[in-house]
Amino acid sequence: MGIKKIAKKDIGNLLHQWGKDYTILVPSTEGDTALTVHGSRFTVHGLWDGSDVNLDWHRNTVKPPKSNFLPPMEEMFRFQKGKEGHSIELPQEERRQLIFGIRPCDARSLRLLDMIFTDVYQDPYYLPKRNSAVLVGLVCLRPYDSCFCTSLGISPGGSDDVDLLLTDIGDEFLIEEISDKGKRLMELTAGLEDATEDDITKASEAKEKAYGKVTRKIDTQHLKDKLLSSFEDETYWEKVAAKCIGCGICTFLCPTCYCFDITDEKVKKQGARFRCWDSCAFSLYTKMPMENPREEKWQRVRQKVCHKFEFYPMSFDVIACTGCGRCIRLCPVNWDICQTLEGIRDRGGDHQ
Amino acid sequence: MTASDISDKHRFLAQGNVYLPHIMIIEKIIEETPGVKTFHFNFKDEQIRDEFTFESGQFGEYSVFGVGEAPFCISSSPTRGDHLEFTLQRVGKVTNALHRLGVGAEIGFRGPYGNSFPIDLLQGKNLIFVGGGIGLAPLRSLIWNVLDNRDKYGDVQIIYGARSPADLCFRYDLDAWGDDKTVDVITTVDRQESRVQSPVSRVEAGNSRLQSQESRVGAGDSRLQTADSRLLREGFVPQVLEQVAPSAENAMAIVCGPPIMIRFTFPVLGKLGFTPEQMITTLEKRMKCGIGKCGRCNIGDIYVCRDGPVFTYAQIKRFISSEH
């Protein structure tokens, strides 16, 4: 496995080079709103001169990369009514994407989304984008206080879920090949230097340090069973949901939330069918004309928690949470998933 | 899931894309009740028309282009006819748009989705069908399926109820099943008084048969009549079921109706000696994608579209009190 490095000042050239074959997405800071912090989201850089990205960024983006694979609103097909009846036209295939600077937690989230989009039926919109994309990961040197990825088998210091992995070693990034796809990309990439022993040692130290910086923990042992036995405990879920304002931010910004709605728009004889993000935080999400199985807020909060920590494990044998902490640090009322899970863990002795 | 199951699931995809609907033509419309219609429809593409197969209990996603998609079961039996049928109540945006369509109109259809009634498990058993309102639609697919293979099943009993005589769906089927000496049909209404001026006396007197499908449509009040010897009972379905008290021995109960009816029917069946494994139902949720991806149709870890819509009570028991 070849280990290379590149000077930070040359990153612009590197992305230019890759930009010939890929749409390049980099974490970028935009605007000046309350929700904007370093690297607010992944944005497209067609002709990028390196000026609008702070190369000292170390913190994860506000928005997860899922929207580059499952856009908030996506055209599924267009339809038109003519003399011969309705005809349907599929959208054109998009250019393949290279996500630069994706964190280990977010790279894992895509692996979790893959499970749902390949389950029985292959999703014809998500999968082509996903399969053609290259993920250039970045070791996460400054996790947030709200991060708890290490409790979910993820390390901020490494990832098997990316194609290439970068580590900040000062004025340079170390570049490691992780997958075959990454290896092929490296072979086609000019202008990289071989890393020295010293560089590799520096990177290892940084990675190890990163791991220790994630101090928040959750205990996932028996969690699934405890959630199952607490499912009917309305009092507990009401308490947990009490301060939730049902805004849905935690679901929209969750890297593993994927729920969507399908909706039509039409003007005269032509229109399109769209897939749009939806959220289990909203009562309309499950509403049927005659009834609503999740009318109450506590039922919806329970759904969100149980989906990730009980139902997903039952279907796919893995927890659908990466511990990225977005739902904690971005919640307007400081709702804390870890506290909820702690409460569940401390309940009942059925599964001790 | 095996590879053959998966390829089986992909047999009828339009252009290899699971979300693309087939264009269908509405061939006939039957007004079941003032708010419920049955549509007979067929594939515009003749090749798919010939190849398409489904099982009783499966559902599809139906769309009016520009309005949206909604899930309904296929209410016809795979054993009958060269067309498909679906039945729906006018309650929301998509159903209203569907109700406005006429014969010859085009709709979108994807499917068939979901599992189906466990035919293998039902064969050789006495079957008790318990239906309420429009919940007879999926049962009807299975009932015709059973009657078309009559010698493979034991006794067949159908207990069907609606709010009022005007709300009884599939009168032509109730009539035909009533005529079948091998089937015991019990029809009940919550109350005899109908929203429409109800000929209660005629119903009670039972002096005229359910009218045939053709004359019934648009016949107004006169369709509130029931079969001659078959008394239209008064009472909720679970109560009537308790009175009828079918034996649980070598029997399976197949239940479909509004959630409130299902909720009260299971305990009655339990009292009659049916085990949760002997009770089968088919559930309705807001299944947007129909293929286990959009996230909203779950009851616990069970996704109604992916794992159902047909379940035994044993499978859904632990969640049914709080989410269904």
Side-chain angles (χ1 to χ4, degrees):
Chain A
M1 187 175 72
I3 301 181
K4 304 276 182 183
K5 66 174 174 178
I6 187 163
K8 284 180 176 174
K9 65 176 173 52
D10 293 333
I11 287 286
N13 293 336
L14 179 67
L15 293 182
H16 251 313
Q17 208 183 125
W18 285 342
K20 286 172 192 149
D21 297 316
Y22 295 90
T23 294
I24 306 292
L25 296 144
V26 301
S28 74
T29 305
E30 287 178 288
D32 191 25
T33 64
L35 271 181
T36 308
V37 294
H38 256 348
S40 67
R41 67 185 184 107
F42 290 93
T43 50
V44 179
H45 280 260
L47 287 166
W48 182 65
D49 61 4
S51 62
D52 59 342
V53 165
N54 180 353
L55 285 180
D56 290 331
W57 38 253
H58 288 296
R59 301 216 123 167
N60 203 355
T61 52
V62 171
K63 293 186 189 171
K66 73 173 174 186
S67 52
N68 301 111
F69 301 95
L70 178 69
M73 181 167 162
E74 179 169 32
E75 186 179 303
M76 303 174 89
F77 58 84
R78 289 180 185 202
F79 51 81
Q80 190 160 14
K81 192 179 176 187
K83 280 182 186 145
E84 302 292 309
H86 287 88
S87 57
I88 287 175
E89 192 190 334
L90 280 164
Q92 293 196 332
E93 277 197 27
E94 287 162 54
R95 207 163 172 243
R96 52 192 177 161
Q97 307 180 113
L98 183 147
I99 307 226
F100 185 80
I102 189 171
R103 307 294 157 131
C105 57
D106 286 346
R108 176 64 55 84
S109 77
L110 296 174
R111 287 275 278 266
L112 294 167
L113 292 177
D114 292 348
M115 293 174 185
I116 208 79
F117 288 116
T118 54
D119 183 35
V120 188
Y121 292 96
Q122 307 296 303
D123 191 279
Y125 301 100
Y126 172 91
L127 290 173
K129 293 187 196 57
R130 172 72 169 117
N131 293 336
S132 66
V134 169
L135 304 182
V136 179
L138 177 68
V139 164
C140 192
L141 295 180
R142 270 181 65 203
Y144 287 93
D145 292 343
S146 47
C147 292
F148 54 102
C149 60
T150 52
S151 298
L152 293 147
I154 297 165
S155 165
S159 174
D160 291 334
D161 305 319
V162 295
D163 299 305
L164 297 175
L165 184 68
L166 309 183
T167 311
D168 189 335
I169 49 168
D171 295 332
E172 293 152 328
F173 283 114
L174 192 84
I175 310 181
E176 295 168 78
E177 300 165 4
I178 305 296
S179 72
D180 289 343
K181 203 192 259 181
K183 190 172 178 216
R184 283 196 297 276
L185 181 64
M186 287 279 268
E187 283 163 5
L188 297 170
T189 305
L192 302 176
E193 280 178 64
D194 285 331
T196 63
E197 281 300 318
D198 190 35
D199 297 329
I200 295 166
T201 312
K202 248 195 245 176
S204 306
E205 283 167 9
K207 287 174 183 178
E208 206 160 312
K209 234 171 158 181
Y211 196 92
K213 283 179 186 163
V214 178
T215 51
R216 195 184 255 261
K217 306 277 176 204
I218 61 164
D219 182 359
T220 58
Q221 212 186 6
H222 305 308
L223 191 54
K224 181 177 79 179
D225 299 323
K226 283 181 176 170
L227 280 166
L228 181 60
S229 59
S230 305
F231 191 79
E232 300 283 350
D233 190 342
E234 193 174 326
T235 317
Y236 180 70
W237 290 109
E238 272 185 337
K239 198 179 100 193
V240 162
K243 71 177 171 184
C244 172
I245 56 168
C247 69
I249 282 292
C250 56
T251 59
F252 291 134
L253 295 179
C254 174
T256 71
C257 274
Y258 56 82
C259 292
F260 60 81
D261 194 9
I262 295 173
T263 183
D264 280 19
E265 293 292 335
K266 187 174 81 165
V267 177
K268 290 186 180 161
K269 290 184 181 299
Q270 50 189 334
R273 185 159 294 168
F274 295 94
R275 161 152 98 176
C276 309
W277 283 0
D278 205 340
S279 169
C280 62
F282 306 145
S283 68
L284 284 179
Y285 173 67
T286 48
K287 190 180 182 325
M288 293 183 286
M290 307 302 226
E291 59 148 357
N292 188 351
R294 295 201 277 269
E295 184 76 52
E296 301 296 328
K297 190 175 68 179
W298 65 267
Q299 292 173 315
R300 301 194 289 274
V301 170
R302 177 180 68 179
Q303 162 65 20
K304 189 187 73 180
V305 175
C306 289
H307 182 222
K308 298 195 181 300
F309 292 90
E310 180 189 345
F311 309 151
Y312 221 81
M314 287 170 99
S315 292
F316 302 112
D317 209 24
V318 63
I319 290 174
C321 172
T322 63
C324 75
R326 287 184 178 92
C327 62
I328 300 169
R329 63 181 174 272
L330 300 168
C331 174
V333 294
N334 297 320
W335 186 82
D336 189 333
I337 182 92
C338 297
Q339 277 173 18
T340 299
L341 297 172
E342 188 81 358
I344 289 290
R345 198 178 59 85
D346 294 342
R347 299 174 55 71
D350 344 8
H351 298 280
Q352 295 289 330
Chain B
M1 180 112 349
T2 67
S4 70
D5 286 339
I6 292 169
S7 69
D8 198 46
K9 295 251 182 209
H10 284 85
R11 262 183 313 166
F12 305 113
L13 294 192
Q15 297 180 44
N17 180 322
V18 71
Y19 296 101
L20 287 197
H22 292 287
I23 309 288
M24 315 292 286
I25 311 282
I26 295 174
E27 294 181 337
K28 184 176 174 179
I29 301 168
I30 298 170
E31 195 171 346
E32 301 286 349
T33 76
V36 176
K37 283 181 180 175
T38 294
F39 293 83
H40 294 206
F41 66 109
N42 226 324
F43 291 90
K44 193 175 179 183
D45 182 329
E46 284 180 17
Q47 195 188 334
I48 297 169
R49 182 184 300 194
D50 295 340
E51 290 170 3
F52 185 84
T53 59
F54 71 100
E55 303 291 335
S56 291
Q58 288 193 292
F59 71 97
E61 294 281 346
Y62 301 74
S63 53
V64 177
F65 292 102
V67 180
E69 263 188 326
F72 309 103
C73 74
I74 301 171
S75 63
S76 50
S77 167
T79 55
R80 311 209 139 200
D82 49 2
H83 65 274
L84 300 168
E85 295 175 24
F86 73 108
T87 304
L88 70 151
Q89 193 167 3
R90 196 180 62 225
V91 282
K93 194 171 74 170
V94 177
T95 54
N96 263 290
L98 284 164
H99 267 250
R100 282 196 293 272
L101 297 177
V103 168
E106 287 186 355
I107 57 170
F109 170 85
R110 342 183 243 122
Y113 295 139
N115 66 358
S116 52
F117 290 109
I119 295 285
D120 293 348
L121 203 69
L122 299 177
Q123 286 183 353
K125 303 269 171 57
N126 298 326
L127 305 181
I128 296 100
F129 292 93
V130 184
I134 196 173
L136 189 57
L139 298 185
R140 169 186 189 252
S141 173
L142 180 60
I143 292 170
W144 280 120
N145 199 334
V146 166
L147 296 183
D148 289 338
N149 296 282
R150 190 66 192 89
D151 52 335
K152 291 183 181 158
Y153 300 87
D155 297 340
V156 173
Q157 195 165 44
I158 300 165
I159 299 172
Y160 173 60
R163 243 177 242 172
S164 74
D167 294 310
L168 292 166
C169 296
F170 306 108
R171 288 156 176 274
Y172 42 98
D173 287 333
L174 291 168
D175 208 9
W177 300 332
D179 284 341
D180 187 332
K181 295 283 176 277
T182 72
V183 182
D184 181 18
V185 184
I186 293 143
T187 314
T188 179
V189 290
D190 297 351
R191 55 182 186 283
Q192 296 281 12
E193 298 79 20
S194 165
R195 285 185 310 231
V196 188
Q197 280 271 303
S198 168
V200 172
S201 56
R202 269 184 290 169
V203 172
E204 281 175 348
N207 62 355
S208 77
R209 293 184 43 77
L210 273 174
Q211 298 184 350
S212 70
Q213 177 185 323
E214 288 71 22
S215 64
R216 195 181 42 76
V217 175
D221 293 356
S222 64
R223 59 191 156 146
L224 308 171
Q225 293 165 9
T226 187
D228 44 5
S229 59
R230 295 181 289 275
L231 187 69
L232 185 61
R233 296 190 185 216
E234 194 171 76
F236 295 113
V237 168
Q239 295 165 348
V240 172
L241 173 69
E242 199 162 3
Q243 290 158 15
V244 174
S247 163
E249 205 186 319
N250 192 38
M252 295 290 285
I254 306 104
V255 183
C256 187
I260 185 93
M261 186 207 89
I262 295 182
R263 218 173 287 152
F264 284 100
T265 297
F266 285 140
V268 171
L269 286 168
K271 233 191 270 182
L272 295 171
F274 286 80
T275 63
E277 288 76 16
Q278 282 176 287
M279 309 176 197
I280 291 174
T281 189
T282 168
L283 298 180
E284 193 179 23
K285 285 275 175 271
R286 185 174 168 161
M287 299 178 284
K288 230 5 209 286
C289 71
I291 53 173
K293 312 228 182 285
C294 79
R296 55 170 70 52
C297 70
N298 67 308
I299 307 173
D301 66 310
I302 292 165
Y303 282 78
V304 173
C305 73
R306 183 192 68 182
D307 307 320
V310 177
F311 297 98
T312 64
Y313 182 44
Q315 289 173 300
I316 53 172
K317 202 176 163 191
R318 66 198 158 99
F319 294 115
I320 205 154
S321 59
S322 72
E323 287 210 340
H324 188 74

